[in-house]
Amino acid sequence: MPRFSVIVTAQGLAGRLPTALDSVLAQSFTDFELITAHDTPGSPAATVADEYAAGDPRIVRTPGSRAEGMHAATGTYLLFLNATDVLTPGALAAMDARLQETGEVDVLHLAHERVPWWVGEPVAEGAADGDPTDVRRPVWATAYRRAFLSDHQLAFPEGHFTDIGWSGPVTLAAGRTAALDTVCVRRHERRPSGSDRPTPDAQRQLLDQVELVLRRAAEQELDQDTSRALFDHLFAEVLDTAATSCRRAFFRRAGRLYRRHRPAGHRTEGLRNRLLSRGAYATFRALLGAERRTEQARVFAARAARRWRRGRPSGPYRRYLRRPLDENLAVYAAYWGRGYACNPAAIHRKARELAPHIRSVFLVREQDAATMPEDVESVVIGSRRYWEVLARAKYTFNNVNFETAMVKRPGSVHVQTHHGTPLKRMGVDQIEYRAVAAATGSFGRLMERADRWDYSLSSNAHSTEVWSGAYPSAFTHLEYGYPRNDRFYTADPAEVTTIRERLGIPQDRVALLYAPTYRDYPRDVSAQFDLARFCAELGPEFVVLLRAHYFLEGDADLRQAVASGRLIDVTASRETEDICLASDALITDYSSIMFDYANLDRPIVTYADDWDVYRDTRGVYFDLLAEPPGHVARTQDELIRVFTSGEWADERSAGLRDRFRERFCRFDDGWAAERVVRRVLLGQAEEELPPVVPLHERLPVPAARPAVVTGSRTHTPAR
């Protein structure tokens, strides 16, 4: 029998589940079992749980909720977590030590932290804080003795507000309790949304739970102080719920319960409590209305002031918003209107093939309009036509956010495609990094834009988890892969040859794509990386494709390298996928291009000369140097040696790349664009979409000059 059974539920929160499970599995105290209570088989949460269970015998899987997890548990003590909760390091060891001191208590309350949804400063709550009769104390920060629960036949009720229906009877039945001041659980709060408003059925169930607890309390003949405190805690929950959505039937029944079960000598304090006790529904509604109008006026004034400062052309847009949605109009944009590119362009191409009845319009900046393909309908951002299609489109696709002035209309569908797998911190996760946060601007407006998303596209489970926390809103994850990466599987060798000829890559050269990322801090690039010297010392076997414009400005040595054929500047090319296909290996630092390029199963070398500064300034989600896609060089001399020695394509490089691809190329298989079009534009069910091709069965386009490794494996991608 294990000491602890940790039960983790994950209904609808698959993106957060890996972090929760990892926090349990990493505990120094190992006498536990981990039970995952998840959605139906085949759901994203179930898939994550299955993968973890396959590698650890301590994990028990069970479909359902906490009740099913509790039934499967065999531990002495039970701990109920959600996918948004993590155990702090050493939590189970601290709990065990405390229980050794106290003996077998029925309930152990744990100190805990609540992390705001915007990842602000955690709010700590002590285990001994508050009233012991408070039935609203968190279930997820409490350990329960399993025999005690069994002896009193305590179980989670079904439906809504189950914590009240659980904590009330537990509080009334518990004999010995104890507290642990060590912070054991950290909860990442979910961002409130309109969908959190309780339905009439949920409100009815809340009153059912409250009434059950009040009846049990009456049967036990509690002392007056305990009875009054319990009563106040229960009706604090009732009034909080009434404040979000107050219906007449709910209010009247709550008032009857209040009057019927009010303890003798109890003094009703507070305006809301007095109105509830008198059954003054109309007055209560009027009070809530006045409070809401005051808040709405404040918000409206703030938004109006922002619009005035921005000077948005809202007049024509408002008129177009009064017209009906065009059910057969889709609007696309990429990189703030910088042309026909990335995931939106790939989806656009597939939509014209599979959904020709949908009219597709691309949004583009005026200075980039000339670069648009001739057969793609486009409108210039800011024009009257732009505001019309933006207002009337049923479907919108963007790899960044539309401007704040855009209104998300009821019935419209917005797909956030993103434009890379995140290594650096994104969204509200940037708040603790001051320089980046200052450049980002208002996080409130950022979340207003994220609230417009209906779907968020992911190319791997890591991205799903990051998007869940970085943009805490009510969108649905589409784990379909990145449509722009489809070409890595659908192109053929002849295309690769054509692209190389167009770029001027000699047939006998190994093409190294060098693509550094943007820095949020000053950096003397030329002083830290002498690209002309690098090209010269590689030797005649190599040619470097440069994907960065600022290296070439005013640098005579680089111009000479270009003239000699050792360096080709491809910065101006808009087709990043073409450049990747044309190259034989990638050199990058922390750019998200590494995640896309890994699909090609070609060598990747990480040049991380300023990793410590980048990590501490920008913030990252994982240690790239500990989990790289290939060899890592920290200095220019190391980078040169990696290539001149042949290490860049050796057996170790291949092994690192295999592990990297397993984690970050899970959904990219050549069918991503089709999945998006069929799900979003054609309305097909998930089971009708093309299934993800297993990684070992995929055939990426081979390199023009495949590298031969120095170990037992030869890197010659098959077709």
Side-chain angles (χ1 to χ4, degrees), residues 337-339 364-373 378-380 574:
R338 286 178 168 82
V364 62
R365 300 185 306 175
E366 184 174 8
Q367 60 266 44
D368 295 300
T371 67
M372 293 293 294
S378 62
V379 299
V380 173
R574 295 185 176 273

Side-chain angles (χ1 to χ4, degrees), residues 239 251 258 267-281 283-288 290-291:
L239 285 170
F251 189 85
Y258 190 98
R267 182 179 177 183
T268 300
E269 297 181 350
L271 178 56
R272 291 186 178 185
N273 279 285
R274 290 195 292 271
L275 293 175
L276 180 63
S277 68
R278 296 200 301 265
Y281 175 72
T283 306
F284 188 85
R285 290 271 298 183
L287 174 65
L288 295 181
E291 292 173 350

Side-chain angles (χ1 to χ4, degrees), residues 121-347:
E121 288 296 322
V123 178
E125 299 178 18
D129 294 346
D131 192 322
T133 63
D134 189 352
V135 295
R136 300 203 293 176
R137 296 179 76 156
V139 174
W140 46 269
T142 308
Y144 305 90
R145 188 165 61 89
R146 186 167 63 89
F148 154 70
L149 300 177
S150 177
D151 290 344
H152 291 81
Q153 298 182 334
L154 296 169
F156 282 97
E158 296 182 356
H160 302 275
F161 294 99
T162 57
D163 284 10
I164 291 291
W166 164 267
S167 296
V170 167
T171 300
L172 294 172
R176 297 185 61 225
T177 65
L180 173 60
D181 288 333
T182 303
V183 172
C184 294
V185 185
R186 182 174 295 115
R187 162 155 289 196
H188 289 82
E189 299 284 2
R190 298 182 67 183
R191 181 167 172 259
S193 67
S195 61
D196 295 330
R197 182 171 298 179
T199 64
D201 186 54
Q203 290 186 332
R204 177 188 59 77
Q205 292 179 44
L206 168 60
L207 296 183
D208 289 344
Q209 308 295 350
V210 169
E211 186 170 14
L212 173 66
V213 177
L214 289 171
R215 286 179 176 175
R216 290 197 179 187
E219 293 170 357
Q220 291 190 213
E221 298 182 354
L222 303 175
D223 64 77
Q224 285 192 349
D225 289 341
T226 301
S227 179
R228 292 169 186 171
L230 179 65
F231 179 86
D232 285 339
H233 292 312
L234 289 170
F235 279 95
E237 180 71 20
V238 170
L239 285 170
D240 284 349
T241 303
T244 61
S245 178
C246 186
R247 297 171 176 87
R248 186 182 298 274
F250 172 77
F251 189 85
R252 286 183 171 176
R253 183 185 171 195
R256 289 194 298 269
L257 287 175
Y258 190 98
R259 294 186 292 273
R260 182 186 312 145
H261 293 278
R262 180 167 47 191
H266 179 272
R267 182 179 177 183
T268 300
E269 297 181 350
L271 178 56
R272 291 186 178 185
N273 279 285
R274 290 195 292 271
L275 293 175
L276 180 63
S277 68
R278 296 200 301 265
Y281 175 72
T283 306
F284 188 85
R285 290 271 298 183
L287 174 65
L288 295 181
E291 292 173 350
R292 288 197 193 100
R293 285 191 295 273
T294 300
E295 177 62 16
Q296 288 170 356
R298 186 193 64 78
V299 173
F300 179 81
R303 289 179 177 174
R306 289 199 298 268
R307 292 193 191 100
W308 177 264
R309 288 193 298 269
R310 290 195 298 265
R312 299 293 188 188
S314 56
Y317 186 45
R318 284 200 303 268
R319 290 194 294 274
Y320 293 129
L321 288 171
R322 290 194 287 268
R323 298 183 184 180
L325 284 175
D326 186 337
E327 297 291 327
N328 292 316
L329 175 62
V331 164
Y332 301 80
Y335 300 117
W336 301 276
R338 286 178 168 82
Y340 192 72
C342 197
N343 293 317
I347 296 170

Side-chain angles (χ1 to χ4, degrees), residues 20 29 59 75 114 156 187 204 255 292 306 348 376 419 462 538 626 636 649 671-672 712:
F29 185 90
I59 299 179
R114 297 178 187 267
F156 282 97
R187 162 155 289 196
R204 177 188 59 77
R292 288 197 193 100
R306 289 199 298 268
H348 175 274
V376 174
H419 55 274
H462 163 76
L538 283 179
Q636 184 166 340
W671 294 90
S712 60

